[in-house]
Amino acid sequence: MNTVEKEFLAIVSQYQPMLYKIVRLYRDSFEDREDLFQEIVFQLWKSYPNFRGEAQIKTWMYRIALNTALASFRKNSTKINYLSQLPDLAEEIISDEQVLREERLFAVLNLLEDGEKALIALYFDELSYQQMAEILGINENYVGVKLNRIKTKIKNLLKK
């Protein structure tokens, strides 16, 4: 394995939780999540030689991951429903209450529009408004306005 491959694998490994969060927001089944994760890593690998370091690596990865997730929605594909699913985080032991709360939250997040999902994913990763604006290509003030609207929407949906 050459140096570039090692660097790339180290970066993917470092930001893997961020990528899985995006995948979880945009796909419901375990298999679909795995497929999307692989597609994101492939797109990152294709783009890696062109990464000039003008943006932070995390910003660059977010942009590609979100674009890949959104672009793959536009493709026509056969929907496959599986009856049983393996746990996403088999090595992590969490309580039943935590599982239920997380499932409820992701069910509500799945009701959001694609752009809202992208913004809330960035918010969950505690990026600054400036970083969010750069990744999404919107105004920094609009990030704040949009986040407040999304938070209100999530609170209202969780009350139902």
Side-chain angles (χ1 to χ4, degrees):
M1 189 178 328
N2 66 34
T3 307
V4 173
E5 290 171 343
K6 287 179 184 175
E7 287 174 9
F8 178 76
L9 290 175
I11 291 167
V12 169
S13 178
Q14 179 182 355
Y15 291 102
Q16 189 171 353
M18 174 193 78
L19 297 175
Y20 272 118
K21 189 181 302 172
I22 292 169
V23 166
R24 178 96 192 259
L25 279 171
Y26 287 92
R27 293 297 179 276
D28 294 327
S29 76
F30 177 79
E31 292 81 6
D32 289 344
R33 291 178 197 150
E34 289 300 311
D35 288 346
L36 180 56
F37 182 81
Q38 289 177 11
E39 181 63 24
I40 289 170
V41 171
F42 174 68
Q43 294 302 325
L44 288 167
W45 175 247
K46 280 182 18 182
S47 302
Y48 190 64
N50 298 324
F51 178 66
R52 297 181 305 265
E54 293 172 359
Q56 293 180 0
I57 193 79
K58 187 175 186 177
T59 302
W60 171 78
M61 290 180 77
Y62 253 121
R63 200 172 258 185
I64 290 175
L66 290 171
N67 285 337
T68 303
L70 293 171
S72 63
F73 261 136
R74 294 180 191 112
K75 293 179 183 175
N76 292 332
S77 62
T78 305
K79 188 81 168 164
I80 301 173
N81 293 321
Y82 297 91
L83 297 177
S84 61
Q85 294 183 11
L86 297 174
D88 288 339
L89 304 170
E91 70 278 352
E92 187 178 312
I93 299 173
I94 53 177
S95 72
D96 289 342
E97 182 181 335
Q98 286 174 307
V99 170
L100 291 174
R101 290 179 69 204
E102 185 177 303
E103 289 303 319
R104 175 88 171 111
L105 176 61
F106 275 98
V108 166
L109 294 176
N110 279 327
L111 298 175
L112 298 176
E113 296 172 13
D114 289 341
E116 293 172 331
K117 287 179 189 178
L119 188 56
I120 204 70
L122 298 173
Y123 174 77
F124 286 158
D125 268 343
E126 300 176 351
L127 271 66
S128 70
Y129 283 19
Q130 180 183 1
Q131 290 170 313
M132 291 182 216
E134 184 180 335
I135 291 168
L136 298 174
I138 59 176
N139 180 298
E140 199 172 327
N141 289 333
Y142 187 62
V143 168
V145 171
K146 192 72 174 159
L147 269 177
N148 284 330
R149 290 178 185 162
I150 295 168
K151 288 179 197 176
T152 301
K153 186 175 183 177
I154 290 171
K155 285 177 190 175
N156 290 335
L157 289 169
L158 285 171
K159 289 179 185 177
K160 291 182 181 181

